[in-house]
Amino acid sequence: MIAELGLAALWLAAALAGLQLAAGALSLRTEAGDDSDLGSVVRPAAVVQGILCVFAFTMLLWLFARTDLSVKLVAENSHSMKPMLFKVAAAWGNHEGSMLLWVTVMSIAGALIALIERRLPERTMRATLAAQAFVGLGFYAFLLFSSNPFERLNPPALEGLGLNPLLQDIGLAFHPPTLYFGYVGLSVAFSFAVGALLTREVTPAFARAMRPWVLGAWIFLTVGITAGSYWAYYELGWGGWWFWDPVENASLMPWLAATALLHSASVLAARDALRAWTIMLGVIAFSMSMIGTFLVRSGILTSVHAFAVDPERGTFILALLAIYIGGALLVFALRAGSVSEGQRFALVSREGALVVNNVMLSAILGVVLLGTLYPLLTEAMGVRVSVGPPYFDPVSAIFALPMLVVMAVGPLLRWRSDRLGRVRWQLAVIGTVALAAAVAVLLLAGAGLLPSLGLVFGAALLVASVLPLKGRSLRLLPLATWGMVVAHFGIAVALLGMASESAFNQEKLAAVNVGETTQVGPWKITLERVDPIAGPNWTALEGVMSARYDGGAPIVVTPQARTFWAPPQETTESALVTRWNGQLYAVIGKEAGQGRWQLRLWWKPFVPLIWLGGLLVALGGALALVGRVATDLRRRSAQRRIAERKADAAT
């Protein structure tokens, strides 16, 4: 009965999305759009749709929590012996459940827009909600006709097949929902863009209304990518944090587009410029989300975290991609002529710097997109090629390095027009730091060209990011400015971590007996013993090692080689020791004969800076979001008081 209730709620939500679309579209026939009885149902339909989707997803969570093996999805992705956390996480750790989560988050976003968004003209608001319903209908159809999460099994299974052991990790339990919030936030930006195009209301008010959604999506994407990178680092046992895997790229591409959109929307909101460019980026950002969804679920690639191997479903998503993006581009082509670029500005200005960075981000996006799709295109023609770091690293750097220079200088410039001579002492400070870093890197032989450049540019950006604070009252500084400073500082920190790890990483492969000692970097590691242990749904061999840094006190390190039985799979659980200057990374492998055990050890100087930087970037976004929302609330309160005074004066 629980499954049937969930399915019924999903059907009702789909019907309401249809009503929302029809009512919103028909209300656009009038110029005012705010006095139509039909149009007045758009907001309530969005709210009730959100409630129904939350109910449907709650029913799915319930089915997984009680391991209802009469439901096909539960039987294929859960197991009665699994810990409760992973039983619940299994609800979105599969194709159907993740798509239901996607629709649920999107419907919640639509409901929130309907409830709280009052800054836009009502006609534009209804067009936006109609566009949101249009996007939602495609995903409802996908769920109801191709990927029903509530499908029953007759007879019920005796036991479930379990969840992919690699996904049975606290990081992966929360990583997908975080990314979905990001993807869906970009669908809201897409709907705002289409709504504004339809009503020709591409104004600063439109940008101010859209910006918190883009900012929220960007924060979630940042957190999701950072968490996913750290999960790959410690869970997969290969010691890396980014492999340019197509699924990794599927989350990076929307982030790049959202970063460009965020800066463009800020220019439109503050200076009424870049109107058409902002609209186009809104379409591109959601397009990247859809392309990522297609890559992960179409079955055209193999990855540890690809969801489905089903070309039929992939064709469905490809059709949705064509409809959404093709339709949006058609509307853009028809209406772009009526959308002017707005106010002009000089090249040497803060707007000019933001435009340059937008172009560089778009170029990097193109590099990643090409490198991701090229192997798929060649394979379709019968030629297998692989594209990895030898392509992505240097080609991306061609555009990333100029972007970092502009990122360092741009926040120091004034709006509209400025002179570089006005900020000459700040430029001198940045140049001096860069020169000092370059000399230091030259003294460290063997760092490699790209890591060396990363260290130099990272050090310069680290200092440049705090220069906008010079001479200003920190107590009175707007939160949005704090957000920019913290986010740019986080980029510099992450860049230093990446460059340090690439430049100074040391690896040791060894086969040792119990009691034997080996060394990696400044660490001496002794294998004390190997113990068999058992978990709730796995057994493992645990290596107990003592690790000494530069002859210091011993630290116990316990990597594991686990064996799961449902589904049967072997995994490695790395052991990490974190110091202020880096991380020791230890993995135990199989017995190598004659009582020896395979050990894989890394010393990774300053590698935690990568994820610390990612979190700082997200924190910067959160500060900016709180600041923007607070400013909007103050502006609305002031406008309300002015209106009340005018009304009092009139009476």
Side-chain angles (χ1 to χ4, degrees):
M1 190 63 182
I2 298 172
E4 285 69 28
L5 284 174
L7 187 60
L10 201 57
W11 274 104
L12 286 173
L16 281 173
L19 174 64
Q20 182 180 325
L21 172 61
L26 291 173
S27 70
L28 294 181
R29 293 181 306 174
T30 63
E31 280 301 313
D34 55 359
D35 55 356
S36 154
D37 291 338
L38 190 59
S40 64
V41 306
V42 174
R43 286 182 187 263
V47 174
V48 178
Q49 185 197 152
I51 294 171
L52 286 168
C53 277
V54 170
F55 178 81
F57 191 70
T58 304
M59 293 300 100
L60 187 68
L61 290 175
W62 192 352
L63 291 168
F64 271 91
R66 66 200 297 263
T67 318
D68 188 338
L69 297 174
S70 69
V71 176
K72 183 180 177 184
L73 191 65
V74 178
E76 290 180 346
N77 296 280
S78 191
H79 191 282
S80 60
M81 297 293 290
K82 215 162 46 172
M84 180 55 75
L85 172 63
F86 300 128
K87 283 185 180 181
V88 173
W92 58 77
N94 59 80
H95 171 75
E96 290 84 353
S98 67
M99 293 307 293
L100 179 56
L101 176 61
W102 174 299
V103 169
T104 301
V105 176
M106 191 160 60
S107 67
I108 292 173
L112 288 175
I113 293 171
L115 284 172
I116 66 178
E117 185 50 62
R118 305 291 174 190
R119 285 166 290 191
L120 291 179
E122 188 62 21
R123 193 163 180 266
T124 304
M125 196 65 256
R126 288 177 181 173
T128 299
L129 287 173
Q132 184 79 356
F134 180 64
V135 175
L137 270 176
F139 285 97
Y140 285 123
F142 184 61
L143 275 169
L144 294 170
F145 300 122
S146 176
S147 302
N148 177 11
F150 299 105
E151 183 179 349
R152 289 283 191 185
L153 273 180
N154 190 16
L158 297 176
E159 188 49 275
L161 299 179
L163 178 67
N164 182 346
L166 290 174
L167 305 183
Q168 295 183 40
D169 177 83
I170 186 69
L172 254 287
F174 298 102
H175 164 63
T178 313
L179 284 181
Y180 290 163
F181 279 103
Y183 286 159
V184 173
L186 295 182
S187 82
V188 175
F190 173 83
S191 299
F192 269 100
V194 173
L197 266 180
L198 289 173
T199 58
R200 297 184 175 89
E201 291 283 349
V202 185
T203 62
F206 149 74
R208 283 193 288 272
M210 181 179 70
R211 186 168 53 187
W213 297 97
V214 179
L215 197 46
W218 183 79
I219 293 168
F220 279 112
L221 280 175
T222 304
V223 172
I225 292 171
T226 302
S229 166
Y230 193 58
W231 168 83
Y233 173 72
Y234 73 78
E235 180 64 22
L236 298 185
W238 59 292
W241 50 273
W242 195 265
F243 191 61
W244 295 108
D245 178 288
V247 178
E248 292 174 342
N249 296 347
S251 63
L252 179 63
M253 290 187 290
W255 185 86
L256 290 168
T259 306
L261 173 60
L262 188 59
H263 289 88
S264 178
S266 294
V267 173
L268 177 54
R271 302 294 159 181
D272 193 15
L274 303 180
R275 293 178 180 172
W277 179 242
T278 301
I279 292 290
M280 178 56 80
L281 282 176
V283 175
I284 290 175
F286 182 58
S287 305
M288 294 302 107
S289 294
M290 289 297 298
I291 288 174
T293 305
F294 170 70
L295 289 174
V296 174
R297 294 160 199 286
S298 62
I300 63 173
L301 56 85
T302 302
S303 168
V304 292
H305 37 3
F307 265 121
V309 184
D310 189 339
E312 188 176 328
R313 289 169 174 170
T315 305
F316 203 127
I317 294 176
L318 193 61
L320 291 180
L321 177 66
I323 293 170
Y324 294 152
I325 308 311
L329 291 178
L330 178 62
V331 173
F332 184 83
L334 295 175
R335 296 294 176 93
S338 62
V339 179
S340 67
E341 269 304 307
Q343 301 295 321
R344 295 185 177 278
F345 49 83
L347 178 61
V348 182
S349 65
R350 189 173 296 190
E351 294 99 321
L354 289 170
V355 168
V356 172
N357 268 5
N358 261 233
V359 172
M360 293 298 114
L361 281 167
S362 301
I364 296 171
L365 172 60
V367 169
V368 178
L369 182 64
L370 179 63
T372 304
L373 296 182
Y374 183 70
L376 305 177
L377 295 175
T378 58
E379 188 170 344
M381 293 184 284
V383 180
R384 279 182 176 270
V385 298
S386 63
V387 178
Y391 159 77
F392 285 107
D393 289 347
V395 180
S396 298
I398 291 172
F399 303 102
L401 295 179
M403 184 184 73
L404 292 170
V405 173
V406 178
M407 188 190 302
V409 178
L412 303 172
L413 300 176
R414 290 172 175 162
W415 294 103
R416 298 287 189 216
S417 179
D418 204 350
R419 293 177 299 104
L420 288 176
R422 191 187 62 78
V423 294
R424 57 182 176 277
W425 77 263
Q426 292 97 327
L427 297 180
V429 170
I430 297 170
T432 302
V433 172
L435 183 61
V439 172
V441 169
L442 286 175
L443 295 177
L444 300 169
L449 178 60
L450 282 181
S452 298
L453 289 173
L455 290 169
V456 171
F457 280 75
L461 182 60
L462 197 72
V463 173
S465 61
V466 298
L467 287 179
L469 303 178
K470 177 80 171 56
R472 305 179 69 172
S473 171
L474 300 185
R475 190 171 59 83
L476 300 177
L477 204 63
L479 269 180
T481 304
W482 274 114
M484 175 197 72
V485 169
V486 172
H488 286 190
F489 190 83
I491 293 284
V493 170
L495 180 60
L496 286 173
M498 296 173 197
S500 297
E501 196 272 345
S502 301
F504 310 121
N505 183 41
Q506 297 182 52
E507 181 179 3
K508 179 70 173 289
L509 295 173
V512 300
N513 288 300
V514 172
E516 196 172 340
T517 298
T518 186
Q519 182 163 1
V520 58
W523 290 89
K524 288 187 176 178
I525 296 101
T526 303
L527 179 63
E528 302 290 353
R529 61 183 187 275
V530 178
D531 296 334
I533 60 172
N537 59 342
W538 48 265
T539 58
L541 291 173
E542 181 179 86
V544 180
M545 311 176 192
S546 64
R548 295 175 183 270
Y549 180 86
D550 205 16
I555 300 171
V556 177
V557 183
T558 56
Q560 297 174 353
R562 291 184 179 177
T563 301
F564 289 78
W565 59 79
Q569 188 169 331
E570 295 182 353
T571 67
T572 57
E573 298 294 317
S574 60
L576 305 174
V577 179
T578 303
R579 285 174 47 88
W580 68 270
N581 60 342
Q583 208 165 49
L584 172 67
Y585 187 114
V587 175
I588 187 167
K590 297 181 180 300
E591 190 173 6
Q594 300 178 333
R596 296 178 303 162
W597 291 87
Q598 295 175 349
L599 299 183
R600 193 163 190 174
L601 307 164
W602 285 271
W603 167 236
K604 294 176 172 293
F606 300 105
V607 70
L609 293 183
I610 297 172
W611 304 291
L612 174 63
L615 294 179
L616 284 172
V617 173
L619 174 63
L623 290 174
L625 179 60
V626 172
R628 297 294 184 196
V629 171
T631 301
D632 284 344
L633 290 176
R634 284 197 295 271
R635 181 185 290 116
R636 290 163 67 176
S637 177
Q639 290 172 343
R640 188 170 56 251
R641 285 198 300 273
I642 292 171
E644 288 172 354
R645 286 173 187 166
K646 286 182 178 178
D648 291 341
T651 56

